[in-house]
Amino acid sequence: MGKGTRGRGKKVRSPHPVLGSEVIEVPLAAIDLNDSEFMFRAELNVYELAESIARHGLQIPLVLRRKAGGKLQVVSGFRRLAALRQLGWVTCAAVVRDDLKSRADAARASVLENEARQTYSPLDRAHAIARMRKMKMSTEEIA
């Protein structure tokens, strides 16, 4: 996926093994880089991740959804995106989830994707719950 050192690999079109959605190459310019609505981590430590991506490429695509106005919103992959930007990449492999219509659906998908990869610390989980509370999500939606 985007094996070039700057993310300029050929188009990727394959089903994601878990999401079942198509993985495509997305220009970073198409992503709203200022939108951190679903960034539930307490900190984005990207140094080691950037080193890994530089060495081995991006192994897990970002998860995005469409926003009104055409830009894409990051649902999951803020650390990966920060690492790619640090490395100077201009594109990334991503899955665009058109099924995430509501904020609650997108928030749930964000947490589930990170939980499935077991990348959340207890502090990240607490931060995620606090952010979802600020989004006025109910206890049932958060659970």
Side-chain angles (χ1 to χ4, degrees), residues 71-99:
K71 283 280 193 178
L72 295 168
Q73 180 181 37
V74 178
V75 173
S76 183
F78 287 94
R79 282 185 65 234
R80 285 168 268 162
L81 179 58
L84 295 174
R85 292 178 72 194
Q86 182 177 310
L87 293 168
W89 284 34
V90 296
T91 65
C92 69
V95 172
V96 179
R97 300 273 311 266
D98 291 319
D99 61 317

Side-chain angles (χ1 to χ4, degrees), residues 32-79:
D32 184 347
L33 301 173
N34 296 315
D35 187 333
S36 60
E37 181 174 18
F38 303 114
M39 184 172 69
F40 297 135
R41 288 193 181 278
E43 292 183 9
L44 290 181
N45 298 321
V46 300
Y47 178 77
E48 289 178 4
L49 180 59
E51 281 187 340
S52 175
I53 291 172
R55 246 183 267 133
H56 307 291
L58 181 63
Q59 299 298 307
I60 300 172
L62 276 67
V63 178
L64 310 171
R65 77 177 189 151
R66 297 182 198 288
K67 292 178 65 168
K71 283 280 193 178
L72 295 168
Q73 180 181 37
V74 178
V75 173
S76 183
F78 287 94
R79 282 185 65 234

Side-chain angles (χ1 to χ4, degrees), residues 117-136:
R117 291 184 302 106
Q118 300 179 355
T119 61
Y120 272 168
S121 70
L123 180 59
D124 290 329
R125 284 184 192 90
H127 187 71
I129 292 167
R131 293 280 311 260
M132 287 186 271
R133 286 277 187 218
K134 282 186 179 180
M135 295 167 72
K136 307 284 189 227

